[in-house]
Amino acid sequence: MKPFLGIMLLFVSITVSATERWDIFEIELKGPKVENPFTEIWVQAEFQFKNFRYHVDGFYDGNQTYKIRFMPEHVGKWTYVIKSNSPEMSGKTGKFRCTPATPNNHGPVSVRDTFHFKYADSTPFYVLGTTAYAWIHQKEERIKETLNTLEQEAFNKIRMTVMPKYYGRYVSNEPDLYPFEGSLESGWDRTRFNVEFFKHLEKQVGELRKRNVEADIIIFHPYDKDSWGFSKGTIEENVFYLKYLVARLASYRNVWWSMANEYDVMHKPESEWETYFKELVANDPYQHLKSIHNGKSWYNHSNPWITHLSVQTPYLEKTQTWRETYHKPVINDEFVYEGNVPFDWGNLTPEETVNRFWTIYCRGGYASHGETYVHPENILWWAKGGKLYGESPKRLRFLAQIMKEAPEKGLTPIHTQWNKETYLYKEQDYFLFYYGNSQQASARLKLAKDKKYSVEIIDAWNMTIEKLQDEYSGTVEIPLPQRPYMAVRAMAQ
C-alpha cells in the first residue's frame, strides 16, 4: 500500500433516506486525486442497528468517486460511520431507515433443513438452475435476448463467469470490456481495475435480481485465452481482485459465490484455494452461499466455508451418499448438457436431460441445465446465452411445480444397500416414486396399512397428472402405461 498523498475537498451528501430490506443502500464519496486510487486509498463503513454491526468495504468507482454498498437485513433505523485513510472521508456519519421488503423481494438464499434452500423471509427456494457462462461478455442485443429468455423460463439460478471465457469454436470472441486497465498489446495492470467492466457486470446481476434469478458468480475459471492471461494471476493479485469483486457485488441479494469452475483444471494447490475462501468469508458481510465446482478431482466439501456441493458428474446414484457424507445440499450443476455437439459433455437428448433432473431430485439433490445445440453462428446457450431451442425447459418447469407441491420439511430420499429404487418420502405421509427410463407395466407400492392414500400417475415427459379414483392402503400394484419417465405420487388423506 502506497502512502496517502494529497488533499481535496470532499463532497458527500449525508441525508436521512429509506432503503427496503435486502436492497442496496449506497454511499457515494468524492476522494482525493492520487496516482493509483485502487491501491492508495481504502474506505469502509461500520453500519449499526441496535446491537448488530456490519463492517463493509468500499471501492473505487472511477472519476475520484468511492462507493460503499450495504444490504440491510433488519427493518428500522440504521446509523453508520465512515473510516478511511483519507482524512476528508474518515469520520463522516449518517443514517437511513430500512423499510419492509416489497412482495417480490424475498431476500438472499441460504441453506435450510441441512439439505435444502430458503430465502431470508423463509420462503422455500427450489433450485432449477441453468448455465450460460459468458453471456455478459456478448453484444448488448444478445444480452437482452438472454434476459428475455430467462423471463419466459422457470430457471431461478444461472451459472456465469466474471472473466471472459475462451473455448474454441463455441466462445472465442473478444469482449467489448476487459477487467483490468491495459491492453492486449501492452498487457494488463492488475492493480487497476476497469471500472466500466465491473459496472457492466453488476448491471446484469441487477437485471437478474429484477427477475428473481440467482447469479451463481464464478470467480475463477481455467478457460482463458493466452493473450488474456486472466487465470494466471499470483495469489496477491487474485486476492486483490476477489476483495474488489466482493465489495462491488456482495450487497446484491441474488449473489452466490462459486470459487471456480473446474477448479482442478487450474492446477492450484489446496492451500491456495483455502486462502481465497478465507478471504471471501472475511470480506462478505452477508455470508452468501459458497461452493467450488470440480472437473475430474474432488474437493473436500466438508470444509466449513463450503455451504453446498456444486458437482460435475453423470453418476447420479451417488447423490444420497454425498448428502450423508457432507450434510449439505447437493447441486449437480453439470451432468452433461442437452444438445448435439460432437463432445461427450454436450449431446444429451431432451428426454435424458429431463430424466436426469427427476432422478437427481428424487435422490435428494438439485440440478442445473445447459443447452449445446449446434448453431450456424456458434451461439450456444451454455456459452453465450441468447435463445433456447431444446425441449427440456418446459418440462423442467413442470418438475419445479412438483417440487413446490411436496412437503417443505422432512422430505427424504430412499437409500438402501442396493440403491436401485428412486423415490422421496416423508414418513408415511408422502411418496414420490420415479421410474426413469424403464417400461414397467405396473408400480408396486408399499404404503402404510393404517392409512388411506390418494394416488396420482405422473408423466414427467408429457407433463400430465392422472389422479386415480380409488384410495389405497398397504401393498398395492398400480397399472402404468408401460412407457418411460413415469412417476407415482401417493399422499395420505
Side-chain angles (χ1 to χ4, degrees), residues 247-317:
R248 293 199 74 115
L249 286 185
S251 57
Y252 287 78
R253 62 178 175 267
N254 62 322
V255 160
W256 298 25
W257 302 118
S258 176
M259 185 59 72
N261 194 66
E262 297 185 341
Y263 82 98
D264 47 311
V265 182
M266 299 186 74
H267 306 296
K268 297 181 182 295
E270 293 294 319
S271 59
E272 186 170 341
W273 293 115
E274 181 174 340
T275 295
Y276 300 146
F277 269 115
K278 288 183 175 179
E279 288 289 344
L280 183 57
V281 170
N283 287 280
D284 179 1
Y286 321 105
Q287 298 305 308
H288 289 289
L289 292 167
K290 293 175 284 294
S291 68
I292 191 167
H293 180 74
N294 67 289
K296 298 177 182 178
S297 301
W298 195 253
Y299 190 76
N300 181 7
H301 297 288
S302 63
N303 283 319
W305 44 79
I306 298 294
T307 58
H308 64 282
L309 279 66
S310 170
V311 300
Q312 172 181 187
T313 181
Y315 304 116
L316 315 184
E317 72 279 359

Side-chain angles (χ1 to χ4, degrees), residues 329-340:
V330 176
I331 306 178
N332 195 329
D333 276 316
E334 189 177 341
F335 56 72
V336 179
Y337 305 117
E338 176 186 350
N340 60 359

Side-chain angles (χ1 to χ4, degrees), residues 297-487:
S297 301
W298 195 253
Y299 190 76
N300 181 7
H301 297 288
S302 63
N303 283 319
W305 44 79
I306 298 294
T307 58
H308 64 282
L309 279 66
S310 170
V311 300
Q312 172 181 187
T313 181
Y315 304 116
L316 315 184
E317 72 279 359
K318 296 182 179 180
T319 305
Q320 300 103 307
T321 298
W322 295 329
R323 282 171 42 113
E324 295 159 11
T325 299
Y326 299 107
H327 297 280
K328 295 176 182 180
V330 176
I331 306 178
N332 195 329
D333 276 316
E334 189 177 341
F335 56 72
V336 179
Y337 305 117
E338 176 186 350
N340 60 359
V341 298
F343 299 98
D344 59 5
W345 46 261
N347 46 35
L348 284 186
T349 64
E351 291 87 350
E352 181 58 18
T353 302
V354 173
N355 178 48
R356 294 190 184 191
F357 258 87
W358 272 80
T359 300
I360 292 165
Y361 172 63
C362 289
R363 287 184 177 272
Y366 298 94
S368 285
H369 151 280
E371 187 180 287
T372 51
Y373 282 106
V374 172
H375 187 280
E377 299 175 58
N378 284 325
I379 303 171
L380 280 62
W381 171 266
W382 145 89
K384 299 180 179 179
K387 296 180 180 179
L388 287 168
Y389 302 93
E391 291 297 317
S392 68
K394 60 185 176 184
R395 293 167 171 89
L396 300 180
R397 179 188 293 274
F398 177 70
L399 171 59
Q401 187 58 43
I402 298 294
M403 292 180 184
K404 293 175 183 177
E405 293 171 355
E408 290 182 14
K409 294 182 179 292
L411 202 60
T412 304
I414 188 68
H415 192 193
T416 65
Q417 186 175 5
W418 291 102
N419 202 24
K420 293 181 179 179
E421 292 181 289
T422 303
Y423 68 87
L424 294 167
Y425 67 96
K426 180 183 178 181
E427 298 175 339
Q428 291 291 325
D429 296 325
Y430 176 94
F431 296 88
L432 179 62
F433 303 89
Y434 180 61
Y435 302 107
N437 54 16
S438 72
Q439 57 173 358
Q440 59 199 74
S442 63
R444 195 165 184 267
L445 313 183
K446 294 181 180 179
L447 307 175
K449 295 179 182 179
D450 59 346
K451 294 188 176 186
K452 293 183 178 181
Y453 295 82
S454 64
V455 173
E456 298 168 322
I457 298 175
I458 300 172
D459 188 322
W461 180 254
N462 291 310
M463 300 176 289
T464 60
I465 301 175
E466 176 191 356
K467 184 174 182 179
L468 304 184
Q469 295 301 313
D470 296 335
E471 292 183 332
Y472 299 85
S473 300
T475 300
V476 296
E477 196 157 313
I478 306 296
L480 293 178
Q482 199 170 330
R483 62 175 181 261
Y485 320 123
M486 305 302 298

